[in-house]
Amino acid sequence: MRSTQTTMAGPVELPLPPRPPKPVQGCDVCAALARQRVEAWRRGDFSAVSDCNVEIAAHGKGH
């Protein structure tokens, strides 16, 4: 019988999540998305929070 020695791989290191994008000051669209994000966070809908983050980031690039 052949014996094979195995070892565990090193730990997986994950980065911290990125900071949420900041809405552009004075932009009504960004303000509405930021409100939606807060509401989604409060109800625990983190998928919607992520969607708002994507929209704020994309919209903010247009300013």
Side-chain angles (χ1 to χ4, degrees):
M1 175 168 14
R2 199 166 88 175
S3 174
T4 304
Q5 183 177 1
T6 60
T7 58
M8 293 177 53
V12 174
E13 295 185 29
L14 299 175
L16 292 174
R19 291 182 186 263
K22 293 183 180 181
V24 174
Q25 291 288 80
C27 176
D28 292 338
V29 173
C30 286
L33 288 167
R35 285 191 300 274
Q36 289 175 19
R37 179 173 62 184
V38 169
E39 292 168 6
W41 184 272
R42 286 182 180 153
R43 68 176 182 268
D45 186 352
F46 301 114
S47 176
V49 170
S50 178
D51 291 345
C52 288
N53 286 339
V54 169
E55 289 190 53
I56 291 170
H59 180 75
K61 288 180 182 178
H63 286 275

